[in-house]
Amino acid sequence: MELQHSDVGEVRKVVLAGRLDTAGVDRIETKFGAVIVPAGKNTVVDISEVTFLASMGIRMLIATTRSLSRKGAKLAMFGATPAVKEVIETTALTDIIPLAATENEAIGIVAG
Amino acid sequence: MDLRPEQETGLRSAQVAGGALLLVLNNTLTAVEDGRNEILRHLGPLDPLVRNRLEVLFEELVSNTIRHGFAKHSAQSIHVQVKRTPGAVELTFEDDGVPFNLLEAQPPEPFTSIETARVGGLGIPLIVKMASALRYERPAPTSCTGFRPSNRTIISIAT
């Protein structure tokens, strides 16, 4: 599991790559929160290189989005593969964390 | 209960009998990866969405059993049988942990806002929704191998 972050204007961009399963979340959860929450910026998360998503990964996304929300900022994901998208839709995660097709669309959601 | 030092290897044994793969998984979360690799090697190429459903179901069921059904560091185990049937892959999980019928688990409240969203408890709903068919049984205590399963969960994934 790998993580990179950068800023696109006022928006923080985080790129995740690998498996968001029990083992992957164990490795990355602390860093994921650390690059997003303290900055308190609207954030987009590129999940196009996430090859697998299980409940532990969804738990991490919800916990971090909630912490960011308490700082008055939003988070949106973009670029899910069909397999990852099926898991996201099965859990109805998009009811609370938007999923966009592209980076620009995700930026539009959090900046809007 | 038989106690042993923390096990690092997830896979206690793997064998093929009558075309079915039989795995015995140890009480450690590395069993998720070790077991998954054996299953994917046994089944060969699968449609990407079918493979993903299989991986999600296996991950959620095994990790849930180890986290919530087993005593920490115990020698408890999960026995998994994997076989192809016409139009499906069928996985039968037996474990000697706390009796738990996931079909009787309370469905979670729907998400309404990020502030009130549940953070955990998503694994069982994923299993229930992603399985093509799901059955739970309380096995009869007939084992002559020393393994006395308290749960049997049978999951079918349409191919």
Side-chain angles (χ1 to χ4, degrees):
Chain A
M1 196 68 219
E2 292 179 13
L3 180 156
Q4 293 182 325
H5 75 280
S6 58
D7 288 326
V8 182
E10 294 299 311
V11 174
R12 176 132 301 185
K13 176 183 170 185
V14 177
V15 181
L16 293 175
R19 295 178 65 89
L20 270 180
D21 55 8
T22 300
V25 170
D26 273 354
R27 279 194 285 274
I28 213 161
E29 186 168 23
T30 303
K31 188 176 179 188
F32 185 69
V35 301
I36 292 175
V37 178
K41 295 179 175 181
N42 287 327
T43 300
V44 294
V45 181
D46 181 350
I47 57 171
S48 61
E49 298 296 322
V50 171
T51 54
F52 179 78
L53 176 65
S55 64
M56 289 301 283
I58 295 170
R59 179 189 178 117
M60 179 187 85
L61 290 165
I62 293 174
T64 301
T65 304
R66 177 182 295 170
S67 297
L68 184 62
S69 169
R70 289 175 180 161
K71 292 196 156 197
K74 298 178 191 170
L75 184 147
M77 310 171 286
F78 69 92
T81 64
V84 167
K85 191 175 181 184
E86 182 177 62
V87 173
I88 288 171
E89 290 176 345
T90 300
T91 55
L93 183 64
T94 51
D95 288 353
I96 49 172
I97 305 178
L99 173 65
T102 65
E103 179 176 333
N104 281 344
E105 189 186 333
I107 289 173
I109 290 170
V110 297
Chain B
M1 186 174 294
D2 183 16
L3 296 176
R4 60 175 57 183
E6 189 157 13
Q7 299 141 332
E8 292 185 356
T9 304
L11 194 62
R12 192 178 300 179
S13 68
Q15 59 177 306
V16 177
L21 175 66
L22 307 170
L23 302 177
V24 179
L25 305 177
N26 283 323
N27 177 13
T28 170
L29 286 171
T30 57
V32 175
E33 182 173 353
D34 294 344
R36 180 184 71 236
N37 290 339
E38 287 294 324
I39 291 171
L40 294 177
R41 191 160 38 237
H42 174 73
L43 290 174
L46 291 167
D47 171 86
L49 284 178
V50 171
R51 174 182 165 143
N52 186 63
R53 288 172 201 141
L54 187 151
E55 289 193 40
V56 169
L57 292 163
F58 185 79
E59 158 109 13
E60 299 298 346
L61 211 136
V62 171
S63 63
N64 195 69
T65 300
I66 291 170
R67 279 202 194 88
H68 305 297
F70 286 172
K72 204 167 185 182
H73 307 317
S74 74
Q76 289 164 291
S77 60
I78 305 171
H79 292 214
V80 188
Q81 183 195 68
V82 185
K83 63 180 180 184
R84 282 187 184 268
T85 61
V89 173
E90 188 174 278
L91 296 98
T92 301
F93 298 81
E94 291 186 339
D95 68 79
D96 52 358
V98 175
F100 175 66
N101 180 355
L102 77 181
L103 289 170
E104 292 177 353
Q106 194 74 12
E109 291 293 316
F111 292 131
T112 52
S113 77
I114 191 68
E115 282 305 315
T116 60
R118 64 194 178 277
V119 171
L122 294 163
I124 300 299
L126 260 181
I127 295 170
V128 172
K129 289 179 182 171
M130 293 192 86
S132 307
L134 184 56
R135 205 162 78 243
Y136 175 84
E137 298 169 357
R138 291 293 302 276
T142 56
S143 173
C144 56
T145 62
F147 178 61
R148 296 174 179 277
S150 42
N151 298 296
R152 179 184 296 132
T153 304
I154 302 155
I155 292 174
S156 178
I157 305 154
T159 54

